[in-house]
Amino acid sequence: MPSRLSDAFRPHPIHDFTSLRELPDSYAWNQRDDGGYPSAAGEAFATESVPVVDLDDPNALQSIGHACRTWGVFQVTNHGIPTSLLDMVECTCRTLFSLPLHQKLKAARSPDGVSGYGFARISSFFSKLMWSEGFTVVGPPDEHFRQLWPHGYSNHCDVIKEYNEEMKKLAGTLMRLMLGSLGIVAKQDIKWAGPKGDFKEASAALQLNHYPACPDPDRAMGLAAHTDSTLLTILFQNNTSGLQVFKEGVGWVTVPPVPGRLVINVGDLMHILSNGSYDSILHRAMVNRTRHRLSLAYLYGPPSSVEISPHPKLVGPNHPPLYRPVTWNEYLHTKAKHFNEALSSVRVCVPLNGLIDVNEHNNSVTVG
Ligand SMILES: C=C1C[C@]23C[C@H]1CC[C@H]2[C@@]12CCC[C@@](C)(C(=O)O1)[C@H]2[C@@H]3C(=O)O
Ligand SMILES: O=C(O)CCC(=O)C(=O)O
Ligand SMILES: [Fe+2]
């Protein structure tokens, strides 16, 4: 067992960074370290804010379409997720990350696995370390949770299962609205949406993130800038701000947590499915000097056997398909290899004499 754990974390020595009084150099980022995205004047005086859509509003479909075209991210209210469930899942997160490191490592993500405790996967693309820890849940959490809490894990399992079920329903609703705004009717136009158009066969991963209070937050990075490899992501953040989204021409815009709101990100697979009409949103998480922060990302995608490609309704003589078909597993691999170049690596090249695509394929991780 110990050799498996040290394998999982070989690239980054395991130490309890949460109790450090000073920021070690290995955690001190400068702008170049995070991809060098310009911090436009907007950052300090951001006048723009991420759209808010009331899901009970009869115009929700139009508002969501507009938000997806202009931002690639929006917040929702009246989403139907009970506050009590959000409180409970936050409590499970808090309890999990409060465990001593040696206990959390009993549920460490294995080198080739997707579920379990670990530091940011995308760390390998950066020379600096991120000020965060995470726990990924794919499928039932029971086995890992039993390692964490030998006694009394079942309540935490129930909370996660209920949260996943509620998220799945909400994700189905959001899919119908996001696609509806492109003229795509889920139950007619998307085979895997099923006869009721409820996307029952969809897959998902739940990512719990913890950003401890940090002695030097201006130089630290919670989670570096990335887009999600999903169709869409539903993000819950506790009462501490940290999420920022990048808007072209504006710069980094903070999405402050507001009770009752959830943040919806357009992911890379939605960008592909919409044939580029919706952009996936580049986002990152900053950290705080005095407060620790929790977030939960519900990463939503198609069933593992389904290939996502630009929808035929959005393709025509003047609108060639911009991307080749990919399954979620294949795309996750591409992301793990090419990180923020993953989308361009599945893009179709358009030479003068027709369409060809240039790609490497490989397959194996299973999310489902
Ligand atoms: C289903 C997913 C989506 C994953 C991989 C796998 C489980 C965890 C997800 C995240 C969560 C944190 C950012 C990200 C970039 C990461 O490193 O892990 C995400 C990644 C992706 O969107 O590619
Ligand atoms: O913590 C956040 O606000 C962002 C988390 C995130 O982007 C992710 O888990 O993919
Ligand atoms: Fe993300």
Side-chain angles (χ1 to χ4, degrees):
M1 202 60 183
S3 66
R4 199 168 138 235
L5 293 179
S6 51
D7 277 356
F9 289 98
R10 201 189 293 130
H12 303 295
I14 308 168
H15 59 265
D16 197 353
F17 69 101
T18 63
S19 53
L20 296 172
R21 297 278 174 92
E22 266 178 45
L23 195 73
D25 190 51
S26 52
Y27 284 91
W29 291 57
N30 56 45
Q31 202 187 339
R32 264 193 335 272
D33 293 319
D34 187 28
Y37 300 104
S39 47
E43 190 169 349
F45 317 96
T47 47
E48 296 205 42
S49 50
V50 171
V52 184
V53 178
D54 175 352
L55 290 186
D56 280 347
D57 181 337
N59 295 320
L61 181 137
Q62 287 78 8
S63 312
I64 285 180
H66 186 253
C68 289
R69 273 176 238 273
T70 54
W71 280 84
V73 60
F74 55 97
Q75 307 171 78
V76 288
T77 59
N78 285 317
H79 42 65
I81 312 295
T83 312
S84 55
L85 180 58
L86 294 171
D87 290 345
M88 285 192 293
V89 82
E90 184 183 333
C91 177
T92 286
C93 267
R94 192 182 307 278
T95 313
L96 190 160
F97 290 115
S98 311
L99 290 169
L101 182 62
H102 71 87
Q103 192 67 18
K104 290 184 275 201
L105 286 173
K106 290 186 179 162
R109 202 166 65 218
S110 69
D112 47 1
V114 67
S115 293
Y117 175 78
F119 299 125
R121 287 177 178 74
I122 55 176
S123 298
S124 58
F125 295 97
F126 299 91
S127 55
K128 299 293 182 170
L129 296 171
M130 294 174 215
W131 196 264
S132 61
E133 53 182 343
F135 194 99
T136 313
V137 183
V138 174
D142 303 57
E143 208 184 299
H144 273 135
F145 277 15
R146 196 178 300 134
Q147 313 276 326
L148 293 176
W149 300 288
H151 310 288
Y153 65 94
S154 76
N155 271 354
H156 294 303
C157 292
D158 292 345
V159 170
I160 294 291
K161 284 176 199 161
E162 193 180 337
Y163 190 72
N164 271 332
E165 277 165 30
E166 290 293 322
M167 285 289 124
K168 189 166 185 172
K169 280 190 252 163
L170 176 58
T173 302
L174 292 165
M175 283 292 283
R176 287 189 292 279
L177 292 165
M178 287 160 90
L179 295 173
S181 169
L182 293 167
I184 298 168
V185 181
K187 64 178 169 196
Q188 287 165 20
D189 301 328
I190 306 264
K191 233 190 254 154
W192 67 271
K196 294 188 192 143
D198 55 7
F199 297 93
K200 228 177 70 202
E201 304 302 321
S203 332
L206 188 63
Q207 172 75 21
L208 321 183
N209 298 303
H210 177 225
Y211 308 90
C214 173
D216 194 352
D218 298 337
R219 295 199 302 147
M221 175 62 68
L223 189 60
H226 65 279
T227 58
D228 295 339
S229 312
T230 55
L231 284 165
L232 60 88
T233 303
I234 306 177
L235 196 91
F236 166 75
Q237 34 177 356
N238 78 341
N239 59 7
T240 302
S241 136
L243 175 65
Q244 294 188 329
V245 299
F246 189 77
K247 190 166 198 284
E248 214 55 61
V250 178
W252 289 106
V253 176
T254 298
V255 190
V258 174
R261 282 189 194 171
L262 294 168
V263 180
I264 315 300
N265 291 343
V266 171
D268 293 345
L269 293 186
M270 181 63 84
H271 173 81
I272 295 174
L273 182 61
S274 70
N275 203 23
S277 297
Y278 294 167
D279 273 340
S280 50
I281 183 79
L282 190 68
H283 57 285
R284 67 182 184 185
M286 308 311 275
V287 296
N288 195 281
R289 189 182 299 279
T290 51
R291 301 165 68 104
H292 78 131
R293 173 169 184 267
L294 293 166
S295 74
L296 263 102
Y298 181 78
L299 300 135
Y300 181 80
S304 54
S305 59
V306 166
E307 286 193 320
I308 294 295
S309 52
H311 196 276
K313 277 194 155 174
L314 307 173
V315 170
N318 297 324
H319 299 279
L322 298 178
Y323 297 91
R324 68 168 175 86
V326 276
T327 63
W328 199 12
N329 290 335
E330 190 193 342
Y331 192 73
L332 285 171
H333 269 270
T334 308
K335 184 70 147 238
K337 192 165 168 196
H338 300 289
F339 188 45
N340 283 344
E341 313 311 322
L343 255 185
S344 44
S345 85
V346 296
R347 201 171 164 115
V348 173
C349 280
V350 190
L352 291 174
N353 57 351
L355 297 178
I356 57 153
D357 63 314
V358 277
N359 288 297
E360 314 163 45
H361 299 223
N362 62 31
N363 230 329
S364 76
V365 172
T366 301
V367 175

